[in-house]
Amino acid sequence: MSVQERKERERADRERLIVATARELAEQQGWDAVTTRRLAERIEYSQPVLYSHFRGKREIIGAVALQGATEMAVAMRAATAAADGPRARVSALARAYLDFAARNPAVYDALFQLDGGLAYAQEETPEPLKDAFAALLESLGEVAGDGVEPGLFTEVFWASLHGVATLTRSGRLPPEYTEQRVELLVDRLAVL
């Protein structure tokens, strides 16, 4: 291995460590606890080293969001692959989405609540975000109904799931009715 290859590998390893540490800290203490000073202390590198990878917290949030989008897409596809038929796929998709949001609140916030400097629903949208939307569209497109644009239907269904996720997490919706909410979404929105 050349010196250049080793340096590139070490740089990539440091970047992964920064993102993992930021994510861990955010999940434990919230995003307000994630500062460049704290991250530098935790990863045992100086702040200038941290800034050589990311210009600041906003870019770190964006990196966590991209990682989370990839993980969310994998979780949704795994859930829908095991389901038999359109209704089961949509139910599995909704549960996987809500489960991901509940298990990874800081990542979910990085994806959908915080400014990570990422473009959404645009030509320059990063591929992991496009792929997460595609994972939704794969199951929801088939139940949009006649005359309904599948992407638009997916946006409305996704917005409903996002509402359930955020309102439940904030205590505005009682969590014991989440399953009934999923069933209402599936039965009332999807054309099965």
Side-chain angles (χ1 to χ4, degrees), residues 69-83 89 92-93 96-97 127-139:
T70 299
E71 292 170 10
M72 179 181 266
V74 167
M76 290 187 297
R77 285 189 175 111
T80 58
R89 274 190 294 281
L93 174 83
Y97 182 97
E127 202 51 46
L129 298 177
K130 288 180 180 179
D131 188 53
F133 186 79
L136 289 164
L137 183 62
E138 289 162 10
S139 292

Side-chain angles (χ1 to χ4, degrees), residues 32 34 55 61 64 81 87 95 107 122 133 152 162 164:
D32 287 342
V34 179
R55 286 182 288 201
I61 291 169
V64 170
R87 186 185 196 296
R95 286 183 190 90
V107 173
Q122 298 174 25
F133 186 79
L152 185 61
H162 176 69
V164 170

